[in-house]
């Protein structure tokens, strides 16, 4: 990447066509790793889906407890709490199903100050029994610092169905829009860039689900929709500049048009991505546990979307260049 400074304006230049092989290699390898994560998740009998579904989609009870740590929290391991929860015998009323606590998940947040337990759907009495069982090892807890949320299995399935429909409708709408606005080549490459971004972000979260038991919830679906919109918006800007070069740059080959267009939008893309990342970094560091992974997904999507817009999609367009000009 070359840089020139006429007067006080900084202009970045990227000879993309000369490096397109490396661009495709980086994107191809990254997509393979992401796809491997999704397939591994699906083949895992504990997950049996491309991503580890959270409470929003499976139904169940989430109990969050704030520990009364004083100046510092007593050391606590989530596996120790898990073993207690999984060995519990909860009170069961007649005709009620016995909750299977073997699938319970325990997570420590905020440096061990918060304890989150995700278990099958519990009654109020069973929830209190579970809290009492873990208090000797994880307590004392802050008075009033308990949060118990329950989502029924049917509501979870309904949320999952609604989320999938929203994603399909949104992606179909984007495909129709860019197909109407551009010719077939541009529309196809914009969709390739969109699939590239969504696949990589989903793949990263699939690996996190395998290695860290991270679950995706409805906020992750919101993040995917936001990433899709960001990716297409950035790609459309680059494509518009390429079409301007095609009209104005008489005698230039397609590779030269792409290089000039990418260089002309590179500074804008970097500034836009950088300013978009700033509030996301603030959410990651100061937004708390609820928004942490949502902000991580968005930040990852902004980085991947910027890469596909300025590198992947324009470089693939040069495949349509006549062979003699390559």
């Amino acid at each position: 990447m070359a840089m020139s400074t006429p007067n006080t304006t900084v202009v970045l230049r990227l000879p993309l066509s000369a490096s397109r092989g490396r661009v495709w290699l980086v994107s191809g390898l990254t997509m393979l790793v992401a796809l491997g994560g999704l397939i591994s998740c699906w083949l895992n009998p504990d997950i049996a889906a491309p991503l580890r579904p959270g409470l929003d989609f499976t139904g169940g009870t989430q109990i969050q407890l704030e520990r009364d740590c004083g100046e510092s929290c007593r050391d606590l391991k989530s596996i120790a709490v898990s073993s207690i929860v999984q060995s519990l015998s909860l009170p069961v009323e007649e005709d009620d199903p016995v909750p299977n606590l073997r699938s319970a998940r325990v997570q420590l947040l905020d440096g061990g100050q918060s304890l989150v337990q995700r278990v099958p759907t519990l009654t109020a009495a069973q929830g209190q029994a579970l809290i009492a069982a873990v208090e000797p090892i994880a307590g004392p807890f802050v008075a009033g610092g308990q949060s118990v949320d329950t989502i029924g299995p049917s509501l979870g399935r309904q949320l999952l169905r609604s989320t999938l429909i929203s994603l399909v409708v949104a992606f179909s709408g984007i495909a129709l829009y860019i197909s109407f606005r551009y010719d077939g080549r541009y529309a196809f490459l914009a969709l390739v860039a969109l699939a590239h971004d969504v696949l990589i972000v989903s793949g990263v979260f699939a690996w996190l689900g395998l290695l860290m038991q991270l679950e995706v919830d409805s906020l992750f679906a919101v993040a995917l929709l936001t990433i899709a919109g960001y990716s297409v918006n950035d790609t459309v800007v680059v494509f518009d500049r390429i079409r301007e070069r095609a009209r104005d740059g008489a005698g230039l080959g397609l590779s030269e048009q792409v290089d000039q267009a990418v260089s002309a939008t590179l500074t804008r893309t970097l500034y836009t991505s950088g300013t978009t990342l700033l509030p996301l970094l603030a959410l990651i560091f100061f937004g708390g546990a609820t928004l942490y992974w949502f902000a991580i997904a968005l930040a990852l999507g902004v980085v991947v979307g910027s890469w596909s817009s300025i590198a992947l999609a324009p470089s693939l367009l040069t495949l349509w260049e006549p062979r003699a000009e390559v």
Side-chain angles (χ1 to χ4, degrees), residues 1 12 14-17 23 193 197 230-231 234-239 242 258-259 261-271 273 302-316:
M1 180 184 298
L12 300 177
L14 178 63
L16 180 64
S17 299
V23 170
D197 302 344
Y230 182 87
S231 171
D234 225 17
T235 304
V236 163
V237 171
V238 177
F239 281 175
I242 293 174
V258 168
D259 287 350
V262 170
S263 297
T265 56
L266 187 57
T267 302
R268 170 200 175 277
T269 300
L270 293 179
Y271 284 166
S273 301
V302 169
V303 173
V304 176
S306 300
W307 168 263
S308 68
S309 298
I310 64 175
L312 180 63
S315 66
L316 288 173

Side-chain angles (χ1 to χ4, degrees), residues 163-185:
T163 300
L164 292 176
I165 291 174
S166 301
L167 290 172
V168 170
V169 170
F171 292 161
S172 301
I174 289 172
L176 287 174
Y177 164 70
I178 58 179
S179 299
F180 174 77
R181 178 167 175 174
Y182 295 100
D183 63 30
R185 293 178 306 169

Side-chain angles (χ1 to χ4, degrees), residues 20-37 196 199-200 203-204 207 307 312:
R20 65 181 191 177
R22 279 172 282 184
V23 170
W24 297 343
L25 180 63
V26 170
S27 286
L29 290 177
T30 309
M31 291 173 70
L32 280 178
V33 172
L35 191 61
H196 167 275
L199 174 63
I200 290 177
V204 169
W207 281 113
W307 168 263
L312 180 63

